[in-house]
Amino acid sequence: MPDLPEDFPVFPFVQELFEDLSLTLPSLGCRFEGTVPPNDLSAKARRTHLKNQLFLFFADLAQGRTVITVKFTLASGSDGRQEWCFLAPQVFTPEFAPENLPSWQPEFQRLVMAEGAGFGFMLPQGTPLQVGPPLDWRELFRLYGSPQAGHDMVQNFLRRSEALMSQLDEAVKSQNASECFRLAHTLKGAARGIYALPFSMAALKLEMAGRGGNLAEAANLMTNTREVWQELVAWYRKGEGSGPGANVG
């Protein structure tokens, strides 16, 4: 199937890219550290092709380096195009010519910003993505083999998540970044395990705030996370996610 242009959310795309790089580049002797400020924007591009381009380029950059620290920023222009900027000032020095690397792409543009040097490129802004259901019960039932087993997993998640949400709220209020990161990471993974993808994405944004140690926006992110969690709980208890053959107790 050809890789056609599609609308996709920017934040999880870059976060997934950075997670893959952090797992892979150490095999080349280079530690990768990347930060992605949360955003709700979407872009339109050949998603798989773009990810492969960026992955290969960072793999080239990693050759001969022990560490690469990258900060992603994004700005939306008046023409509806988004400027993606990957800043790595310790790599993009005046003496370095990334255009000579085999994976350099013509659409990449060399740029220098006040907070550091890096490269950037433009992409059309995607249409706002439709919000899906709080939980994908078809994938849940497929994963666990039966509706009842799937519901058992959801009910276990709801019991555990209530206490974790309270602890996360306290971590945000006390500006405890390490606890915010740990608890949000736990909730994100547990939500992915039951295909509660909107809640997993909300928790991921808090996880990234905790990882970066900057909780300036954490209170707003926590409010959003709790709202998404409450929507999931209410939706499930009303039986809207029960699906065929389910027995919600």
Side-chain angles (χ1 to χ4, degrees):
M1 184 175 179
D3 181 22
L4 300 175
E6 60 178 310
D7 292 328
F8 60 90
V10 173
F11 174 69
F13 174 87
V14 180
Q15 176 60 21
E16 180 181 298
L17 170 69
F18 281 3
E19 287 179 353
D20 289 348
L21 289 168
S22 68
L23 292 172
T24 306
L25 294 194
S27 66
L28 302 177
C30 178
R31 186 175 80 253
F32 181 88
E33 301 171 346
T35 58
V36 192
N39 64 77
D40 293 314
L41 297 174
S42 62
K44 190 176 187 66
R46 295 164 59 199
R47 187 180 190 278
T48 301
H49 176 70
L50 176 61
K51 184 179 179 183
N52 290 340
Q53 281 185 317
L54 290 167
F55 189 92
L56 291 172
F57 183 62
F58 279 111
D60 273 355
L61 289 177
Q63 300 292 335
R65 293 185 170 85
T66 57
V67 61
I68 296 179
T69 302
V70 179
K71 178 181 179 182
F72 175 79
T73 63
L74 187 147
S76 183
S78 58
D79 60 353
R81 293 168 66 83
Q82 295 172 341
E83 185 176 50
W84 293 41
C85 303
F86 294 86
L87 305 178
Q90 80 280 22
V91 173
F92 289 86
T93 61
E95 299 79 21
F96 175 60
E99 300 88 350
N100 296 330
L101 294 177
S103 57
W104 177 264
Q105 298 294 324
E107 61 264 34
F108 294 167
Q109 302 170 17
R110 181 77 185 276
L111 56 90
V112 177
M113 301 179 65
E115 56 185 305
F119 73 99
F121 54 93
M122 305 295 291
L123 283 179
Q125 185 167 314
T127 56
L129 299 174
Q130 296 296 317
V131 178
L135 186 150
D136 188 336
W137 55 262
R138 292 185 185 277
E139 288 298 322
L140 178 74
F141 295 169
R142 181 191 60 79
L143 177 64
Y144 293 105
S146 72
Q148 190 57 55
H151 281 287
D152 289 345
M153 295 302 298
V154 175
Q155 289 160 10
N156 180 59
F157 168 82
L158 294 180
R159 285 192 295 269
R160 292 181 57 221
S161 63
E162 187 167 4
L164 289 170
M165 285 292 290
S166 295
Q167 294 169 31
L168 180 58
D169 193 39
E170 287 301 316
V172 170
K173 288 177 180 176
S174 62
Q175 294 287 286
N176 188 329
S178 61
E179 273 295 278
C180 178
F181 168 75
R182 183 185 70 82
L183 292 163
H185 177 77
T186 300
L187 284 163
K188 177 199 74 176
R192 283 182 178 175
I194 62 164
Y195 284 91
L197 301 184
F199 178 72
S200 178
M201 182 55 58
L204 173 59
K205 292 178 180 179
L206 265 173
E207 177 189 345
M208 293 306 298
R211 183 195 294 271
N214 182 2
L215 300 186
E217 295 297 321
N220 290 334
L221 293 174
M222 184 68 216
T223 297
N224 178 67
T225 302
R226 182 166 291 282
E227 288 175 352
V228 176
W229 179 76
Q230 290 170 339
E231 288 173 4
L232 168 62
V233 173
W235 181 83
Y236 182 76
R237 288 178 177 168
K238 283 195 300 184
E240 294 180 26
S242 57
N247 178 22
V248 182

